[in-house]
Amino acid sequence: MDAIGSRTTTGTRVDTPAPEASHREWGWVLRVVALVAVFVAVAVFRSRQVDVPFRDPHGKLFSAKLVSTVEILLVFVAVDIVVRWLRGRAGGASLWRTARTRWTPYRIAMIALGLVAYQVVYLSYRNLKSWDVFRTPQDDLLLKWDRWLFFGHSPAVLLHDLLGRDVTARFLTDWYEAFSTVVTLSLVAALAFTPTVRSAFVFVVSAMWAWIIGVGSYYLIPTLGPFHAAPAEFAGLTRTSIQTTQATYVEQRAHLLAHPEAHDAFAQISAFASLHCALTTLVFLMARYYGLRVLSWAAAVFLAGTLVATVYLGWHFAVDDVAGIAIAWLAVELGKLTVNGTWRSPTGGRASL
């Protein structure tokens, strides 16, 4: 966490938070609200078009997810306050004063707004993704693209032959399933540790853009994934939770198509583009944006493993991963433009502990 340092009469450095340069500049906030409102309007239009209402199965997409995210945020905020207090303790700063100085009513309100806005976008994204099942899948097209890119070979089979089908399958299953945790922790860390609200919102809004552009790619080329289009290629893999999840997703899709009026009818399957790769790439790009070299290297390693896992396990075609990386780059650029009003990265956004 960066801070502006002042010195006491004894020469001791006391950390104080960087000023909220945009405290009275509400133009960027209005742009964020407008982005959310337009996307929700698109989702509402699609809901009426397919005659299926918004759904939040067991509250996992909004209410429960919002609560769990807030719980993590509170832990990170406590860490933020304690670290700042320890830095300023020699100058006589109390823990309470440190908390009040850093976590002003303005910052608390804006962080709350950011979390709610993000979850509203995510809920809209997941419902739009569910309704994509009413479009005809085009998996054969992406199968042909993958074969062309790899000179007639299946990239998944090449990975199976190279890495094996047992231990690697187990390892990559755990790696792939860590995605949600990594993205959530990264998002919350940006909200808690960045010096200004505006710099935190760059991450939040970039992630919003990734979900928005990503669901657009689902509608551009509706697909289910290579595990469904070419099941024989994955039959030799050691069975893990991945195969169970894939079978569940196919069943959910069939249930929604057969009984769209059912309260539990909700689909979760789409392949193009890979938003696992998009959001993981976004975490990497944001670590670089904030000047966090060590974390950016860690994010790069996680991204590399995710790129392999998505293809190896049959969730995505190789071209899905390429599209996911492109979406991440575009989302970050649009995030910076939405929040900062410019493509350039302003100074003062660095975050560190």
Side-chain angles (χ1 to χ4, degrees), residues 39 121 125 205-220 272-273 275 278 323-324 326-335:
F39 187 56
V121 167
Y125 151 78
V205 177
S206 296
M208 289 181 188
W209 274 114
W211 297 124
I212 292 169
I213 302 170
V215 80
S217 70
Y218 293 160
Y219 280 77
L220 180 65
F272 183 86
L275 294 199
I327 286 173
W329 177 84
L330 179 59
V332 170
E333 293 303 307
L334 288 172

Side-chain angles (χ1 to χ4, degrees), residues 127-146:
N127 275 273
L128 281 166
K129 179 180 181 179
S130 176
W131 305 325
D132 185 41
V133 303
F134 298 109
R135 294 172 56 78
T136 304
Q138 301 180 38
D139 291 80
D140 287 345
L141 174 64
L142 298 194
L143 277 174
K144 292 177 181 177
W145 287 2
D146 267 11

Side-chain angles (χ1 to χ4, degrees), residues 13 67-68 87 112 139 153 157 169 219 222 229 235 253 264 267 296-297 299 306 310 337 353:
R13 186 179 187 277
V67 170
S68 63
R87 287 178 176 176
D139 291 80
H153 298 282
V157 172
Y219 280 77
R253 179 178 184 273
D264 61 342
S296 67
W297 278 107
T306 301
T310 54
L337 181 63
L353 275 175

Side-chain angles (χ1 to χ4, degrees), residues 155-156 159-160 226 234 306-318 321:
L159 285 173
H160 299 163
F234 306 92
T306 301
L307 290 169
V308 173
T310 54
V311 175
Y312 179 98
L313 296 171
W315 283 115
H316 292 286
F317 302 96
D321 288 4

